[in-house]
Amino acid sequence: MSFITSLLLAVALAMDSFAVSITIGLQQKRFVPATLLKVPLAFGIFQGLFPLIGWWLSVQIGESLAAVDHYIAFALLAFIGGRMIYEAFHESGEMERTDLSKMRSVLYLATATSIDALAVGVSYGLVGIDLRTAIVIIAIVTILFSLAGIYIGVKMGNIFGSKAEIVGGAMLICLGIKIIVEHTLLD
């Protein structure tokens, strides 16, 4: 696989992380150093490791994982997005607000956005492609796109104000729907 092909694949895989990073940025009023570090690093590490996991799974169980990966991604994104929208309309103190800068939420989102990378790894395993360079490129591009997404989100959040949580939740749900459509209707 050429460097250009690996780079284009990395950009395509980083788009989900970019969109989710915008959502995370929408919730921030300013740039929080901890968020700027943990979100892009978590997304980059997951995007880099999931092709390796997918490759390993393809060697072990073949294509059966590809039949359900998109449902897992959709469920995670829809749950977090739906909760954000619910919280935007219900300001009660009964429920802890979804803080997308918290590590648990970041790990859910890193998993959901990396499912495509897992599928890419499965396909690499099925056709016997070496992953080393691709994994590094995927991780670096994802980190850079996630940083840019947070920056854009913070700027947009300052414009949208209190509606940012609704916009962010809707973006996550739409991303989950996009994944389902791509994997079920377009296959």
Side-chain angles (χ1 to χ4, degrees):
M1 176 181 290
S2 73
F3 175 79
I4 297 297
T5 304
S6 294
L7 185 61
L8 291 173
L9 175 64
V11 168
L13 290 173
M15 286 299 143
D16 290 351
S17 295
F18 176 70
V20 172
S21 294
I22 290 173
T23 301
I24 291 169
L26 285 169
Q27 288 194 322
Q28 308 292 314
K29 300 289 187 235
R30 58 184 168 68
F31 296 101
V32 179
T35 302
L36 286 174
L37 291 175
K38 73 180 161 189
V39 170
L41 286 176
F43 285 13
I45 289 169
F46 274 58
Q47 285 281 15
L49 286 178
F50 270 46
L52 182 61
I53 294 167
W55 174 84
W56 181 81
L57 287 172
S58 72
V59 172
Q60 302 299 316
I61 61 175
E63 294 185 31
S64 60
L65 178 65
V68 296
D69 63 355
H70 47 283
Y71 294 114
I72 295 167
F74 171 76
L76 290 169
L77 290 168
F79 172 74
I80 293 172
R83 184 169 170 170
M84 285 176 65
I85 292 170
Y86 176 85
E87 291 167 355
F89 289 106
H90 298 87
E91 295 290 333
S92 71
E94 300 169 14
M95 187 175 181
E96 178 186 330
R97 299 193 69 73
T98 301
D99 182 357
L100 295 181
S101 65
K102 293 220 185 261
M103 202 59 189
R104 182 179 64 187
S105 296
V106 170
L107 293 177
Y108 288 151
L109 292 171
T111 300
T113 58
S114 298
I115 296 295
D116 286 345
L118 183 80
V120 165
V122 169
S123 68
Y124 283 174
L126 296 174
V127 295
I129 292 176
D130 181 29
L131 290 177
R132 288 174 282 186
T133 303
I135 287 172
V136 172
I137 293 170
I138 289 167
I140 290 170
V141 167
T142 301
I143 289 169
L144 294 174
F145 273 58
S146 297
L147 282 169
I150 291 170
Y151 177 81
I152 291 167
V154 168
K155 293 296 184 186
M156 289 172 51
N158 291 330
I159 294 167
F160 286 122
S162 64
K163 304 294 185 214
E165 203 162 13
I166 296 168
V167 171
M171 285 175 63
L172 292 180
I173 292 170
C174 288
L175 183 58
I177 292 169
K178 174 190 142 299
I179 290 169
I180 289 287
V181 169
E182 284 178 348
H183 288 269
T184 56
L185 298 178
L186 301 178
D187 282 345

